[in-house]
Amino acid sequence: IASLLVGSAAAFAPAPVAKTSSAMNAFTAADLPGALAPMGFFDPLGFAEKADEKTLKRYREAEVTHGRVAMLAVIGFLVGEAVEGSSFLFDAQISGPAITHFTQVPDGWDALIITFIGAAEAQRAQIGWVDPADASYDQPGLLRDDYYPGDIGFDPLGLRPEDPEELNLMITKELQNGRLAMLAAAGFLAQEAVDGKGILEHFSL
């Protein structure tokens, strides 16, 4: 459960994108990283085609952030269920499917967790978003012109490539893994809600 909850908050501290990269030069559907053969740029409902640059940036911000949260959530599901009954947290009393873990957290901890996540979100908003007082009423959630979706300068291990092509490749890998994780997390949630069994229990692990 610790991996799931702490990971969800940590996901709002994304790895930075180089300001000089080709990913930063233009923000159009044709130039976005994340398209791979054979699907190419997959947008069957035409959301990107109908979107202006500001809207498209919000779409990408939402996608990369949800992907990061989902990747950490998938790890949280598996780790939380694997260590249940043996964790040092909460006297090892939290057990069962991962979707029930949060409701088993002792009173007071839930408020602390929500506060921590809220603080991380507020920090992300201060870096990437235009102050609502400075934005038009018909443009809620407007991103700053110099902000690239997902880039708040968090790269403690120095993994960001300097080469623009390598950077685009890394962005694409992150997006693809995030997309897979979103599907996996949704599947985990649905499966546990249907039969009340943990994911690892389905594999008899």
Side-chain angles (χ1 to χ4, degrees), residues 67 70-71 170-182:
M71 285 187 279
M170 177 174 282
I171 294 172
T172 296
K173 289 178 178 179
E174 180 187 25
L175 287 165
Q176 295 292 353
N177 281 288
R179 291 161 180 166
L180 178 61
M182 285 188 276

Side-chain angles (χ1 to χ4, degrees), residues 5 7 14 20 27 30 43 54 66 68 71 83 85 91-92 106 114 117 123 129 145 148 166:
L5 298 175
T20 58
F27 210 91
D43 183 28
K54 291 184 171 85
H66 282 86
R68 288 164 174 167
M71 285 187 279
V83 302
D91 296 324
I114 292 172
I117 294 175
Q123 176 69 12
W129 269 255
D145 290 337
Y148 187 86
E166 292 183 8

